Amino acid sequence: MKSFKKNLCPICGGTKKAGTTTYMADIGSSVIVVRNVQASICDQCGEEWIPANTARQLEGIINDARKNKRQVEIIAL
Ligand SMILES: [Zn+2]
């Protein structure tokens, strides 16, 4: 486990807190909604950061959705 000294929002200086968010992507042929995505969320401005490994997971989901060609894909992690 890495330890984070300060987890401050670069936008407003607020504190980033672990939480979950809903990720949405419009890839033209379809809209993908992924619920329950782990993210760091600023407690002041609400800006969200998705960790790299989760972002990779989302990429995989988007690629699958592209192949499936469904108009709307709603997934929960
Ligand atoms: Zn902020």
Side-chain angles (χ1 to χ4, degrees):
M1 279 286 279
K2 277 184 199 165
S3 62
F4 294 93
K5 282 178 201 161
K6 287 243 169 177
N7 211 2
L8 296 180
C9 172
I11 296 158
C12 74
T15 310
K16 289 193 220 168
K17 293 209 167 121
T20 55
T21 185
T22 301
Y23 174 84
M24 266 183 277
D26 186 342
I27 58 165
S29 55
S30 48
V31 174
I32 301 135
V33 180
V34 188
R35 306 182 68 196
N36 223 12
V37 177
Q38 289 208 333
S40 297
I41 302 158
C42 174
D43 65 354
Q44 276 192 54
C45 70
E47 185 67 27
E48 293 159 352
W49 291 265
I50 293 170
N53 56 342
T54 307
R56 244 174 273 133
Q57 211 178 336
L58 292 173
E59 241 170 69
I61 290 167
I62 288 164
N63 286 337
D64 284 349
R66 223 179 237 134
K67 282 177 220 147
N68 291 340
K69 290 189 175 144
R70 260 181 270 165
Q71 289 212 316
V72 182
E73 186 96 44
I74 301 171
I75 300 154
L77 285 186

